[in-house]
Amino acid sequence: MAESPEEVAVLVQRVVKDIRNAFQRNPHIDEIGLIPCPEARYNRSPIVLVENKLGVESWCVKFLLPYVHNKLLLYRQRKQWLNKDELIDITCTLLLLNPDFTTAWNVRKELILSGTLNPLKDLHLGKLALTKFPKSPETWIHRRWVLQQLIQENSLPSLVTKGNLGAAPVERIHRLVQEEMNICSEAAGRYPSNYNAWSHRIWVLQHLGKLTVKVLLDELSSTKYWVSMHVSDHSGFHYRQFLLKSLIGRTVTDNNVLVQNQMVNEQNPSLQKEEESAGAEAACAEEQSVDLPRRLEEELELCTELIDTYPGHETLWCHRRRVFYLQHHLSNKLPLLSAVVSSVDSSDETLNNSHHSPATSHMAQAMDVDGLNESSSKQGYTQETKRLKRAPMQDSLGPEMEYRFIDKVLSTCRDVDQARFATAYRKWLLTFLGQ
């Protein structure tokens, strides 16, 4: 085993070279790890490559990590010169062993900005580092920086086979989003309550997925099984709360935009542009197809099933509290939207009679839903409008159903924590609804 500084330098240079050769032989390495080995038993390289897995024998880490760390610091202090290839190899080795070393990531940022390093290689390096250190904050931060560079340069690469390199930008973005979602899921599975992974997932949706309804619905569907298998993971359920809140905000906002466009087009028909109108109508048609009250009901049903199956998990009760909160506030948003839709569909005479009390307006809407008002047959009245008007009627049943659920849990559970969480939820309901 190497002991003198000269022997250590020779050993480290050989190991760094072996790591570079391993990536050249197999560019599809998808996982790294340490192989427990207290000392070198054989006169061979400590780098082991089996299929797509890269292993490093643990005995060499105590020599390898300090050496490359000090060498990089000497370079940053301008006390030692390293060429670009040496910088790439040293930072790669260092980050695979310690991905929270910010200086190494900063060096690679400089290499990317100078055009020396392909940003795709840093995405791949970060993915490998996360297989060993799934919560590394510096890795997630650098990953977002690389993605921002790709977005700004408008050169999003296709992360698929060579036959699809000519894919449209929208398809490239979609594939990139899917790749990031997979990486986040793997990291969340390797480390419980991985806040950094779920925060990165939210960032990707905001900056790459643009929080479109399709992406939000796909994420709700894809994470349902995951949270069912990790019922104590607060971060996973918080992510679903973010999806539901974004879905509500996006749908209600886009519906309001649709209503405003209809009012403008009625007042100024000559200002309507065919191309913009077609795109807006297509987008709004997608938004209106979402049954928000039903989505929240399904989420409460999921909470009920998980609480009954896995008693005593506070995460499930906290999630139920948030879902009920969203359900309650959704019922306050939709009546306002329904009133605006009704005003658009009504004639000018109806618009002049806009001084009725809120209670009278709400009763008129209820009559429209029941089909007792002839105005429901006017042009522009759609099934979506009817759904929006019907939604608030479900709110009165919400608290009663929650109290019944609490009573059922308290009367049947034998778990002390389950009873404590149910009692706390009842107190929260009384406080929240009493405001």
CSV table of all heavy atoms in Angstrom, one decimal, residues 1 28 58 76 91 106 116-117 134 160 163 180 196 204 267 275 284 291 299 376-377 434:
chain,number,residue,atom,x,y,z
A,1,MET,N,0.8,-1.2,0.0
A,1,MET,CA,0.0,0.0,0.0
A,1,MET,C,0.9,1.2,0.0
A,1,MET,O,1.9,1.3,0.7
A,1,MET,CB,-0.9,0.0,1.2
A,1,MET,CG,-1.9,1.2,1.3
A,1,MET,SD,-3.0,1.1,2.7
A,1,MET,CE,-3.8,-0.4,2.4
A,28,HIS,N,-22.6,4.7,-20.4
A,28,HIS,CA,-24.0,4.5,-19.9
A,28,HIS,C,-24.0,4.1,-18.4
A,28,HIS,O,-24.9,3.5,-17.9
A,28,HIS,CB,-24.7,3.5,-20.7
A,28,HIS,CG,-24.8,3.9,-22.2
A,28,HIS,ND1,-25.5,5.0,-22.6
A,28,HIS,CD2,-24.3,3.3,-23.3
A,28,HIS,CE1,-25.4,5.0,-23.9
A,28,HIS,NE2,-24.7,4.0,-24.4
A,58,SER,N,-13.0,0.9,-1.0
A,58,SER,CA,-13.0,1.9,0.0
A,58,SER,C,-11.6,2.2,0.5
A,58,SER,O,-11.3,3.3,1.0
A,58,SER,CB,-13.9,1.4,1.2
A,58,SER,OG,-13.4,0.2,1.7
A,76,ARG,N,-7.0,26.7,-7.6
A,76,ARG,CA,-7.9,27.9,-7.3
A,76,ARG,C,-7.1,29.0,-6.7
A,76,ARG,O,-7.4,30.2,-6.9
A,76,ARG,CB,-9.0,27.5,-6.4
A,76,ARG,CG,-10.0,26.5,-7.1
A,76,ARG,CD,-10.7,27.1,-8.3
A,76,ARG,NE,-11.7,28.1,-8.0
A,76,ARG,CZ,-12.4,28.7,-8.9
A,76,ARG,NH1,-12.2,28.5,-10.2
A,76,ARG,NH2,-13.4,29.6,-8.6
A,91,THR,N,-12.0,17.1,-11.0
A,91,THR,CA,-13.3,17.5,-10.5
A,91,THR,C,-14.3,16.3,-10.6
A,91,THR,O,-15.1,16.2,-9.7
A,91,THR,CB,-13.9,18.7,-11.2
A,91,THR,OG1,-13.9,18.4,-12.6
A,91,THR,CG2,-13.0,19.9,-10.9
A,106,ASN,N,-18.1,24.8,-9.1
A,106,ASN,CA,-17.8,26.1,-9.7
A,106,ASN,C,-16.8,26.1,-10.9
A,106,ASN,O,-16.9,26.8,-11.9
A,106,ASN,CB,-17.3,27.1,-8.6
A,106,ASN,CG,-18.5,27.5,-7.7
A,106,ASN,OD1,-19.6,27.4,-8.0
A,106,ASN,ND2,-18.1,27.9,-6.5
A,116,THR,N,-15.6,24.4,-23.0
A,116,THR,CA,-14.8,23.3,-22.9
A,116,THR,C,-15.5,22.0,-22.5
A,116,THR,O,-15.2,20.9,-23.0
A,116,THR,CB,-13.6,23.5,-21.9
A,116,THR,OG1,-13.0,24.7,-22.2
A,116,THR,CG2,-12.7,22.4,-21.8
A,117,LEU,N,-16.5,22.1,-21.7
A,117,LEU,CA,-17.2,21.0,-21.1
A,117,LEU,C,-18.7,21.0,-21.6
A,117,LEU,O,-19.3,22.0,-21.6
A,117,LEU,CB,-17.2,21.0,-19.6
A,117,LEU,CG,-17.9,19.9,-18.9
A,117,LEU,CD1,-17.2,18.6,-19.2
A,117,LEU,CD2,-17.9,20.2,-17.4
A,134,PRO,N,-28.0,11.1,-2.4
A,134,PRO,CA,-29.3,11.6,-3.0
A,134,PRO,C,-29.8,12.9,-2.5
A,134,PRO,O,-30.6,13.5,-3.1
A,134,PRO,CB,-30.3,10.4,-2.7
A,134,PRO,CG,-29.7,9.7,-1.5
A,134,PRO,CD,-28.2,9.8,-1.7
A,160,VAL,N,-32.5,11.1,-26.0
A,160,VAL,CA,-33.0,9.8,-26.5
A,160,VAL,C,-32.0,9.3,-27.5
A,160,VAL,O,-30.8,9.7,-27.6
A,160,VAL,CB,-34.4,10.0,-27.1
A,160,VAL,CG1,-35.4,10.3,-26.1
A,160,VAL,CG2,-34.3,11.1,-28.2
A,163,GLY,N,-31.6,8.5,-33.4
A,163,GLY,CA,-32.6,8.6,-34.4
A,163,GLY,C,-33.6,9.7,-34.1
A,163,GLY,O,-34.3,10.2,-35.0
A,180,GLU,N,-35.8,14.4,-15.7
A,180,GLU,CA,-35.6,15.0,-14.4
A,180,GLU,C,-36.6,14.4,-13.4
A,180,GLU,O,-36.2,14.1,-12.2
A,180,GLU,CB,-35.8,16.5,-14.4
A,180,GLU,CG,-34.8,17.2,-15.2
A,180,GLU,CD,-33.4,17.0,-14.7
A,180,GLU,OE1,-33.2,17.3,-13.5
A,180,GLU,OE2,-32.5,16.6,-15.4
A,196,ASN,N,-34.7,18.2,-0.8
A,196,ASN,CA,-34.0,18.7,-2.0
A,196,ASN,C,-34.5,18.1,-3.3
A,196,ASN,O,-34.6,18.9,-4.3
A,196,ASN,CB,-32.5,18.5,-1.8
A,196,ASN,CG,-31.9,19.2,-0.6
A,196,ASN,OD1,-31.8,20.4,-0.6
A,196,ASN,ND2,-31.5,18.5,0.4
A,204,VAL,N,-38.5,22.1,-11.7
A,204,VAL,CA,-38.5,21.7,-13.1
A,204,VAL,C,-39.9,21.9,-13.6
A,204,VAL,O,-40.1,22.3,-14.8
A,204,VAL,CB,-38.2,20.2,-13.1
A,204,VAL,CG1,-38.5,19.6,-14.5
A,204,VAL,CG2,-36.7,20.0,-12.8
A,267,GLN,N,-67.7,42.8,-27.3
A,267,GLN,CA,-67.8,44.3,-27.4
A,267,GLN,C,-67.0,44.8,-28.7
A,267,GLN,O,-67.4,45.8,-29.3
A,267,GLN,CB,-67.2,44.9,-26.2
A,267,GLN,CG,-68.0,44.6,-24.9
A,267,GLN,CD,-67.3,45.1,-23.7
A,267,GLN,OE1,-66.2,45.7,-23.8
A,267,GLN,NE2,-67.9,44.9,-22.5
A,275,GLU,N,-55.9,33.5,-35.3
A,275,GLU,CA,-54.9,32.5,-34.9
A,275,GLU,C,-54.8,32.5,-33.4
A,275,GLU,O,-54.8,31.5,-32.7
A,275,GLU,CB,-53.6,33.0,-35.4
A,275,GLU,CG,-53.5,32.8,-37.0
A,275,GLU,CD,-52.1,33.2,-37.5
A,275,GLU,OE1,-51.3,33.6,-36.6
A,275,GLU,OE2,-51.9,33.1,-38.7
A,284,CYS,N,-57.9,26.6,-23.5
A,284,CYS,CA,-59.0,26.7,-22.5
A,284,CYS,C,-59.8,25.4,-22.5
A,284,CYS,O,-60.4,25.0,-21.4
A,284,CYS,CB,-59.9,27.9,-22.7
A,284,CYS,SG,-59.0,29.5,-22.4
A,291,ASP,N,-62.0,18.4,-13.8
A,291,ASP,CA,-63.1,18.4,-12.8
A,291,ASP,C,-62.4,18.6,-11.4
A,291,ASP,O,-62.0,17.6,-10.7
A,291,ASP,CB,-63.9,17.1,-12.8
A,291,ASP,CG,-65.2,17.3,-11.9
A,291,ASP,OD1,-65.2,18.2,-11.1
A,291,ASP,OD2,-66.1,16.4,-12.1
A,299,GLU,N,-58.6,12.8,-3.8
A,299,GLU,CA,-57.4,12.9,-2.9
A,299,GLU,C,-57.8,12.6,-1.5
A,299,GLU,O,-57.1,12.0,-0.7
A,299,GLU,CB,-56.8,14.3,-3.0
A,299,GLU,CG,-55.4,14.4,-2.4
A,299,GLU,CD,-54.4,13.7,-3.2
A,299,GLU,OE1,-54.6,13.3,-4.4
A,299,GLU,OE2,-53.3,13.5,-2.6
A,376,SER,N,-80.8,29.2,-19.5
A,376,SER,CA,-79.7,28.2,-19.5
A,376,SER,C,-79.6,27.6,-21.0
A,376,SER,O,-78.6,27.0,-21.3
A,376,SER,CB,-80.1,27.0,-18.6
A,376,SER,OG,-81.3,26.4,-19.0
A,377,SER,N,-80.6,27.9,-21.8
A,377,SER,CA,-80.5,27.4,-23.2
A,377,SER,C,-79.9,28.4,-24.1
A,377,SER,O,-79.8,28.2,-25.3
A,377,SER,CB,-81.9,27.1,-23.7
A,377,SER,OG,-82.7,28.2,-23.6
A,434,GLY,N,-64.7,27.9,12.1
A,434,GLY,CA,-65.3,28.9,13.0
A,434,GLY,C,-64.8,30.3,12.7
A,434,GLY,O,-65.3,31.3,13.3
